[in-house]
Amino acid sequence: MATETVLVPDLGGAESVDVIEVCVAVGDVLELEQSIVVLETDKASMEIPSPYAGKVVAMHVNEGDSLTEGAALLELEVEDAQASAEPPAETETEVKVEAKSESTVDGTPVAVEANSETTETTLTTPDVGGDEAVEVIEICVSIGDVLSEGDSIVVLESDKASMEIPAASAGEVVSISVVEGDKVVTGDALVVVKGDAPVAASAAKASPAPAPATPAEIVRTPSVPAPETVQSSPAQQPAASGSSVSSAEAYAGPAVRKLARQLGVDLGRVKATGPKDRLTREDVRTYVQNVVAQVESGKLQSGSGIPTIPAVDFAKFGEIETVKLSKIGKLTVQSMSRSWLNVPHVTQFDEADITELESFRKSMKAEAEKRGVRLTPLPFLIKAAAAALRQEPSFNVSLHNDGEHIVHKKYVNIGIAVDTPNGLLVPVIKDADKKGLWQLAAETAELAEKARTGKLLPGDMQGGCFTISSLGAIGGNGFTPIVNAPEVAIMGVSKAQIKPIWNGSEFLPRQMLPLTVSYDHRAINGADCGRFFTCLVALLSDIRRFAL
Ligand code: CAO
């Protein structure tokens, strides 16, 4: 074993840096490259990775210290083999930086490629300090924006740093070559601007944050990035003590952002305790611990802030029996709560005149028996719903998880709610629009039987576009079903009844089927539902339309 001292690396011209976070303590066993401290100048913050794997035996810095290049950060007990290997040589780093600077102006990378004839200039990814790709986490411009030199165009993020890339050339954005989530390397096109000729010197501003580690560079600690390369300074950030800032605006380093992403935490909600209201990893952990504690104590449900129903000892009021919910029952609790809480429901009501449908259905009973199927109103409802979804494709959609896209489905799969001894199940009839009444009747019976006998496979219950919940055989004259998210709509079918219907000159006894459609108002507008529902009711009221 040997003891190695880890020093503050090349500060890239900065005179001193503040220690804004100490990520390790005496006794910690570090992996190679594990962050040991976060340093900050007035323009940049950077995590300093450990150049060795080993045990921390002494710390030389505290949060708030001001350090200069070469100052000792900590002592590490390392394996002899590591200690005798090439030591972390700042000269080596400098040589590397110089080598990269061959295609630079004033020692900094040029990030422009100009087309002098058209005066279109492609702004490219500046030197990101290695071959490793970095992620585009934010696009700051749109086509048509007129940029001044130095305006931020994208934000890139590596494991160790996030950096705003300023425009090296002024002009109007004519195309954007990347989308959020893309991985880019040095030289990759970012945006194309039309206008002023490129100003090479301004590319200096696009110099990147610390180089991501490549195996050859692991033994050195990174140099401090040039000015204007990382996230905005604390002065621009409101204190992240409530929900007043967005996650993107929160003042936090890349490691904290990564942790927050992994845990699904919105940094805008986390209270900062670091210097200058900077968020630390500990802040994120404390936030998660508090939320978990509140959920478990029943004060908070799913982080939604909805108070839970108080526990009541029912036995105090009389005899009771407590029965364990089936697995399906427990899943129903979850899925119904999820849909009810997430989906803004609207329910529309209508009635279909199924007098002709019923007389046709009854006329087919004998044939149905011969075929060994029961022809109930349900296959007609499936057929009508499938045809209406085809006719009104704005209804055959789902809201994308990102909340910014609508997924249009080119297939028509209809779910059927089936009441079973173990609870409610929703098998799905695939490609219902391509099937005839006999096939729909047979498949419905088969799936319902499988549901009741616990034989449905997961695939039998997936891929639904729209669900039909029929209580027609049981009774009632209307109910508001809950959307089976991520589907966007569900139809509730109640019991058909003979009603006197005015035909303009007299009341006639007609068999009327009460129907309701509940839909997700985030994805569907009332007018869309009106069109879909009218189409569906018209199909049921005149089944000759099925043939059209
Ligand atoms: N009005 C009047 N009669 C109806 C009817 C309606 N809307 N729907 C069905 N019927 C009749 C049928 O025609 C049948 O009578 P006949 O044999 O004389 O024709 C009888 O009621 C029994 O039908 P069924 O229930 O056996 O068959 P189905 O095809 O109508 O329904 C199924 C199948 C699987 C949907 C049903 O058995 C079921 O499980 N329903 C409950 C669904 C449920 O729980 N929904 C609520 C979920 S919470 O949102």
Side-chain angles (χ1 to χ4, degrees):
M1 286 286 181
T3 304
E4 288 292 331
T5 306
V6 180
L7 308 176
V8 174
D10 174 10
L11 291 177
E15 285 191 354
S16 72
V17 285
D18 292 338
V19 179
I20 58 166
E21 193 178 340
V22 176
C23 313
V24 297
V26 171
D28 285 358
V29 177
L30 307 189
E31 289 171 11
L32 186 67
E33 282 252 288
Q34 184 171 335
S35 294
I36 52 181
V37 289
V38 182
L39 304 180
E40 187 179 68
T41 66
D42 57 343
K43 296 283 184 213
S45 64
M46 74 220 75
E47 289 176 27
I48 306 299
S50 175
Y52 305 103
K55 184 173 172 182
V56 180
V57 289
M59 291 296 306
H60 296 307
V61 290
N62 291 307
E63 262 179 36
D65 285 357
S66 208
L67 304 176
T68 52
E69 192 178 314
L73 293 172
L74 52 74
E75 309 283 337
L76 276 181
E77 195 176 77
V78 300
E79 297 281 350
D80 288 338
Q82 277 195 81
S84 59
E86 272 291 274
E90 286 183 350
T91 48
E92 196 178 280
T93 308
E94 281 163 17
V95 170
K96 277 182 197 297
V97 172
E98 268 178 32
K100 282 174 192 150
S101 303
E102 280 174 12
S103 60
T104 65
V105 172
D106 296 339
T108 43
V110 179
V112 293
E113 286 169 12
N115 175 341
S116 56
E117 279 174 16
T118 61
T119 67
E120 280 192 0
T121 306
T122 303
L123 305 182
T124 59
T125 310
D127 181 0
V128 288
D131 295 336
E132 221 167 272
V134 291
E135 188 175 343
V136 179
I137 58 164
E138 197 181 327
I139 311 267
C140 315
V141 296
S142 308
I143 290 176
D145 285 0
V146 178
L147 303 183
S148 301
E149 190 193 320
D151 284 352
S152 292
I153 48 174
V154 295
V155 181
L156 305 180
E157 188 177 74
S158 72
D159 280 356
K160 300 285 174 222
S162 54
M163 55 204 109
E164 283 179 30
I165 305 301
S169 186
E172 183 186 336
V173 177
V174 290
S175 72
I176 300 171
S177 319
V178 285
V179 293
E180 273 176 30
D182 277 359
K183 296 270 171 87
V184 292
V185 295
T186 306
D188 279 352
L190 296 172
V191 302
V192 177
V193 293
K194 196 162 82 176
D196 297 352
V199 185
S202 66
K205 291 180 178 176
S207 172
T214 61
E217 291 168 329
I218 279 167
V219 291
R220 60 149 178 78
T221 43
S223 57
V224 174
E228 296 190 29
T229 57
V230 294
Q231 74 261 4
S232 41
S233 70
Q236 295 168 292
Q237 307 288 345
S241 52
S243 54
S244 53
V245 290
S246 70
S247 208
E249 289 168 333
Y251 178 38
V256 176
R257 287 185 185 283
K258 191 171 177 185
L259 178 67
R261 262 203 311 275
Q262 284 166 345
L263 298 174
V265 169
D266 173 359
L267 282 177
R269 293 173 172 268
V270 181
K271 184 169 168 35
T273 61
K276 302 175 195 165
D277 284 329
R278 186 178 188 279
L279 288 161
T280 66
R281 268 174 281 223
E282 207 42 48
D283 294 338
V284 176
R285 288 193 196 104
T286 306
Y287 174 80
V288 172
Q289 278 163 2
N290 286 342
V291 171
V292 171
Q294 286 187 59
V295 169
E296 285 181 351
S297 69
K299 286 185 193 144
L300 193 68
Q301 201 177 41
S302 329
S304 62
I306 296 174
T308 49
I309 296 159
V312 170
D313 179 8
F314 300 103
K316 277 202 310 200
F317 309 107
E319 193 187 346
I320 60 163
E321 182 190 8
T322 306
V323 179
K324 202 168 169 48
L325 272 175
S326 66
K327 193 162 173 251
I328 295 170
K330 280 192 257 178
L331 288 172
T332 304
V333 169
Q334 274 179 27
S335 61
M336 289 296 126
S337 308
R338 200 170 52 214
S339 288
W340 185 250
L341 291 171
N342 283 298
V343 176
H345 280 71
V346 175
T347 305
Q348 288 198 18
F349 297 73
D350 208 339
E351 282 182 328
D353 182 340
I354 57 164
T355 315
E356 315 302 341
L357 184 156
E358 277 299 272
S359 80
F360 173 71
R361 187 177 72 86
K362 281 179 184 139
S363 73
M364 298 304 288
K365 276 225 158 180
E367 187 174 338
E369 227 164 90
K370 265 194 229 154
R371 290 173 176 263
V373 293
R374 277 177 65 235
L375 196 59
T376 65
L378 190 58
F380 293 86
L381 290 162
I382 299 169
K383 183 101 188 130
L389 284 173
R390 273 269 170 244
Q391 218 155 306
E392 297 296 336
S394 63
F395 227 73
N396 194 11
V397 296
S398 273
L399 192 62
H400 194 281
N401 246 0
D402 64 11
E404 293 182 8
H405 296 88
I406 293 282
V407 180
H408 290 264
K409 297 167 193 173
K410 311 286 180 192
Y411 52 84
V412 178
N413 298 338
I414 308 272
I416 307 295
V418 179
D419 182 32
T420 80
N422 283 325
L424 186 64
L425 285 169
V426 186
V428 174
I429 298 190
K430 308 278 163 41
D431 296 320
D433 57 324
K434 299 187 181 127
K435 294 177 178 167
L437 287 167
W438 295 124
Q439 195 178 349
L440 292 173
E443 270 192 42
T444 309
E446 189 193 338
L447 287 169
E449 180 58 17
K450 277 191 182 174
R452 291 188 187 112
T453 51
K455 296 208 174 99
L456 283 177
L457 300 173
D460 293 330
M461 293 179 280
Q462 290 166 357
C465 305
F466 178 83
T467 291
I468 299 178
S469 176
S470 174
L471 292 176
I474 300 167
N477 54 19
F479 65 103
T480 56
I482 298 177
V483 171
N484 187 20
E487 294 169 22
V488 290
I490 182 169
M491 177 162 72
V493 183
S494 295
K495 193 172 183 66
Q497 282 182 56
I498 307 272
K499 287 188 179 175
I501 300 296
W502 184 251
N503 73 352
S505 52
E506 58 183 334
F507 281 106
L508 292 176
R510 307 293 293 177
Q511 189 141 20
M512 303 303 290
L513 179 67
L515 299 169
T516 50
V517 171
S518 296
Y519 62 89
D520 181 346
H521 206 343
R522 296 172 306 168
I524 287 177
N525 292 326
D528 295 327
C529 185
R531 278 187 289 269
F532 168 82
F533 210 178
T534 305
C535 169
L536 194 148
V537 164
L539 282 159
L540 289 170
S541 303
D542 184 358
I543 55 169
R544 291 171 306 173
R545 287 167 182 265
F546 285 170
L548 296 176

